Amino acid sequence: MADRSVYFWPAAGVIALIATALAPLFANDSVTFILGLAMIEAVFALSWNLLFNYTGIASFGHAAFFTLGAYFVACAQRYGWDVTFPLQLLVAFALGGGAAFAIGAVALKRASGIHLAILTLAIAEVVRMVIGYIDYVGRDDGLGGIPRPVVNLGLATLDLRSSSAYYWCILVVCVALALGLWWLVRSRYGRALRSIAEDAERATFVGMDIYKLRLFSFTISGAVAAICGGLSAPWVQIVTPDLSHWLHSAQPMLNTLLGGSAMFWGPAVGAFAYSLINYSTRTLDGVSEIVVGGILLTIILIAPTGITGALESLRRKIFQKWRAASPWAQVRVKGEQI
Amino acid sequence: MLLEWSFAIFSGLTLGMAAFLVAAGLTLVFGILKILNFAHGTFFMLGAYVTYSILGTESASMAAFLLATLAAGVVVGGAGWATDLVIFRRLRDSDYHYTLIATFALLLLITGLVKIIWGLDFRLVRPPEVLETTWFIGGIFIPAYSVFVIAAGIVVFLILDFGLQRSWIGKTVQSVARDPWMAEVLGINNRVVMTAAVVVSFMLAGIAGGLLLPNQSLSPALGDVFLLLAFTAVIIGGLGNVRGAFIASILLGLIESVSTVLLPDLPGISIFVALIVFILVRPQGIFSGAQ
């Protein structure tokens, strides 16, 4: 192997994954809780970036799908619907995908750019208001006291009521979803999406159906966001209409830019970094907004490639000498992909 | 029944003019810089807080009220100059997504600052003495302050429209909006024009904050309410179109107040439904093409 630097990202990923998996064993409850949320927000941000970086669409109301999934699982758990938890997550996935397909089918045909941004924002606001009118889901107060599930597997039962058991459940589902998205962006669909994000006009010219591809991406993204919401409901144990507030829609945006939108894992890195920042500034009203707004602004103005972008250029610098000395250097430079 | 309707129409006009006062600056800056400023509502709120700090919660004289409002306009206009210098100018050539998200970050930053300086409490400010009365005309009560808001909206609209359509300044600004490259060739300093547009837009936000301060519950959430209303007005009126925003604001106010009469159980939703329908059916706004 000529270039050891290619191991940098996989190694970092494996270390991060092991650390996250072991967290409930040595971290206290509040840190575990925040890490669980961070995993969910990480996948939520990855689903947003599927639209932003890989398809060239900015959704400002992505939280609407998250809310849909969260409320479905919340109702199912709270009112004891006769649906097992894995099936609940699948239904949340289907609901989110169905809603995204229905909205996207109309919206992507009629609107783009700024209009699409405002449209998605308005739809999320409507979701928030409609939930506030429905007695069954607790109006503006939301649904509280959501129990964590016990899954019956036939031969054995999986008890997820304890905090650490549900934490590992989140970990497994989130890793599966993230790998699924990772596979998607590397498949031929992912490459087709990339091409329309880069230059929609040329993609049309070579015979791609832009509308269909965008709709496909919008549907998958909405479905993943809904499953994230479904996972979060038993973890936080309360759902409120504010899940669909535009501040929550801004969360994946923020995580994505913080981590770096150009690399697939950037949004996930951003989600964990944001949780860290938020955890350390949580005490004073207003400070968290200043810190978050200030960081976001600084990133956009000074380092638009985010944390992973900065690390990537660092990686290149460190391994540059090694690479230059290698007889493979010329070959790699020619065939290099980011 | 008739009284109920005439009252609904009157309050709709008041709400519409209030929305226009906020939307005016938003649509102006979009028309010239093609920037949709998410932070506009926050700067409106900042203007309201500055006016409050000068006046306090008690009724002031009309002159003091107007002066305080003007001061808020100057302070927020200064903030606009700084924003242009630090943010808008640097992002002028980048993808519009980044500008959108940058103004969103600014929204968070200013909201946080306001929370630290003025706290989270709700405050109620009384209107100036002259405007505290209520007239009883044709069977309905008409607060003088509402009449003042409607008048202020019309005056701001007339000044903006006259300034943009008739004066040489307005024509210069329009030429920069239409074709910045050609304007530059003709010797117009685009930079100055754009900065001036941003400053005027922010000043309008600050002045709107001052004018609409009385009878509002002043809190850090004030900006959000008016931002979405103003967004809707700007979209329905056609992005960047001042006349469109004026008509759309009136329309929105009427939609909201009529739906309060017809659907009292579903407050607030009609505006969003109107917004969604408009984006899908007529994304270019009610006056297509006109600037």
Side-chain angles (χ1 to χ4, degrees), chain A residues 1-286:
Chain A
M1 191 59 218
D3 186 357
R4 254 175 237 173
S5 73
V6 294
Y7 296 125
F8 177 82
W9 286 111
V14 168
I15 292 169
L17 188 63
I18 291 173
T20 315
L22 296 179
L25 301 179
F26 54 80
N28 66 27
D29 278 355
S30 68
V31 172
T32 310
F33 179 75
I34 285 167
L35 277 175
L37 267 190
M39 285 192 280
I40 293 169
E41 287 293 336
V43 177
F44 184 37
L46 287 174
S47 81
W48 186 80
N49 200 35
L50 177 70
L51 286 179
F52 182 66
N53 185 47
Y54 291 94
T55 321
I57 297 172
S59 164
F60 278 67
H62 214 47
F65 304 116
F66 188 97
T67 311
L68 204 62
Y71 265 84
F72 174 75
V73 172
C75 286
Q77 286 296 125
R78 170 76 191 271
Y79 296 119
W81 293 355
D82 193 19
V83 188
T84 63
F85 186 62
L87 195 60
Q88 286 171 20
L89 289 184
L90 281 179
V91 174
F93 187 79
L95 269 180
F101 181 82
I103 292 169
V106 184
L108 295 172
K109 191 152 248 173
R110 302 288 307 179
S112 61
I114 285 177
H115 287 103
L116 191 65
I118 303 290
L119 181 66
T120 45
L121 187 99
I123 288 171
E125 277 297 300
V126 168
V127 167
R128 187 166 74 92
M129 288 183 164
V130 168
I131 288 172
Y133 300 147
I134 302 174
D135 279 324
Y136 188 70
V137 296
R139 300 187 85 101
D140 286 333
D141 298 329
L143 272 184
I146 300 161
R148 289 187 186 145
V150 179
V151 183
N152 195 345
L153 296 172
L155 293 172
T157 52
L158 197 58
D159 190 347
L160 299 175
R161 278 176 301 186
S162 78
S163 182
S164 49
Y166 195 77
Y167 179 88
W168 283 313
C169 165
I170 294 177
L171 182 75
V172 169
V173 177
C174 283
V175 168
L177 285 171
L179 288 177
L181 285 173
W182 189 71
W183 170 80
L184 181 72
V185 301
R186 264 156 190 70
S187 70
R188 47 191 295 250
Y189 287 109
R191 285 199 298 276
L193 291 177
R194 271 317 285 262
S195 76
I196 61 171
E198 302 253 324
D199 193 334
E201 211 170 320
R202 273 188 208 176
T204 321
F205 199 68
V206 296
M208 276 189 243
D209 190 335
I210 307 242
Y211 170 68
K212 257 189 200 161
L213 282 165
R214 279 186 180 152
L215 185 56
F216 169 74
S217 172
F218 201 74
T219 307
I220 298 287
S221 176
V224 173
I227 216 173
C228 290
L231 264 183
S232 81
W235 183 240
V236 186
Q237 301 195 302
I238 182 169
V239 288
T240 61
D242 273 352
L243 283 179
S244 193
H245 197 278
W246 43 309
L247 279 176
H248 192 219
S249 290
Q251 196 63 59
M253 227 180 271
L254 201 108
N255 291 339
T256 300
L257 284 171
L258 183 60
S261 65
M263 293 182 91
F264 177 79
W265 297 104
V269 173
F272 282 92
Y274 174 81
S275 298
L276 187 72
I277 297 164
N278 208 22
Y279 185 67
S280 43
T281 57
R282 69 196 177 284
T283 41
L284 197 58
D285 275 321

Side-chain angles (χ1 to χ4, degrees), chain B:
Chain B
M1 195 62 205
L2 188 69
L3 285 182
E4 196 183 7
W5 280 101
S6 47
F7 183 73
I9 288 171
F10 178 74
S11 63
L13 277 180
T14 313
L15 180 68
M17 281 304 106
F20 175 72
L21 283 172
V22 183
L26 193 64
T27 204
L28 183 74
V29 89
F30 186 89
I32 293 148
L33 280 83
K34 308 288 176 275
I35 287 173
L36 189 63
N37 185 4
F38 264 105
H40 196 78
T42 319
F43 283 103
F44 159 76
M45 174 186 72
L46 187 66
Y49 269 106
V50 170
T51 314
Y52 156 78
S53 291
I54 298 172
L55 290 181
T57 52
E58 287 308 306
S59 295
S61 72
M62 190 68 183
F65 175 67
L66 289 179
L67 273 178
T69 298
L70 205 63
V74 171
V75 169
V76 178
W81 178 74
T83 304
D84 185 66
L85 205 67
V86 178
I87 301 175
F88 291 166
R89 203 171 273 184
R90 289 184 69 129
L91 294 177
R92 209 149 274 172
D93 298 320
S94 66
D95 188 77
Y96 72 92
H97 288 131
Y98 287 98
T99 325
L100 270 184
I101 297 167
T103 61
F104 190 84
L106 195 62
L107 180 160
L108 290 175
L109 197 68
I110 303 296
T111 309
L113 277 178
V114 166
K115 279 184 183 174
I116 283 184
I117 298 175
W118 284 284
L120 292 172
D121 302 336
F122 281 80
R123 291 187 176 86
L124 205 65
V125 178
R126 289 169 61 193
E129 286 147 15
V130 197
L131 299 177
E132 272 204 307
T133 54
T134 304
W135 298 313
F136 187 73
I137 301 170
I140 56 170
F141 287 101
I142 293 182
Y145 177 67
S146 299
V147 177
F148 171 75
V149 169
I150 295 177
I154 294 172
V155 167
V156 166
F157 168 68
L158 288 178
I159 293 175
L160 258 185
D161 194 59
F162 186 84
L164 278 173
Q165 307 290 344
R166 303 277 170 215
S167 71
W168 65 268
I169 299 177
K171 286 174 182 168
T172 312
V173 168
Q174 287 210 31
S175 71
V176 172
R178 198 69 53 91
D179 191 339
W181 182 83
M182 196 64 209
E184 191 109 81
V185 170
L186 292 174
I188 295 169
N189 191 338
N190 282 357
R191 242 186 179 191
V192 171
V193 171
M194 288 180 171
T195 305
V198 174
V199 170
V200 170
S201 158
F202 276 61
M203 273 185 85
L204 282 170
I207 289 173
L211 290 177
L212 298 179
L213 169 68
N215 289 352
Q216 300 282 348
S217 44
L218 180 62
S219 78
L222 180 67
D224 300 0
V225 181
F226 274 91
L227 178 67
L228 288 171
L229 208 61
F231 262 9
T232 313
V234 166
I235 295 264
I236 293 181
L239 281 162
N241 187 332
V242 173
R243 284 181 191 172
F246 184 70
I247 305 289
S249 299
I250 296 176
L251 203 64
L252 268 184
L254 292 179
I255 290 175
E256 172 64 18
S257 62
V258 167
S259 74
T260 319
V261 176
L262 294 177
L263 305 163
D265 296 333
L266 304 173
I269 205 166
S270 55
I271 285 185
F272 292 105
V273 175
L275 174 60
I276 291 169
V277 169
F278 254 94
I279 291 182
L280 294 177
V281 177
R282 207 172 160 76
Q284 72 274 41
I286 38 182
F287 297 138
S288 61
Q291 274 283 320

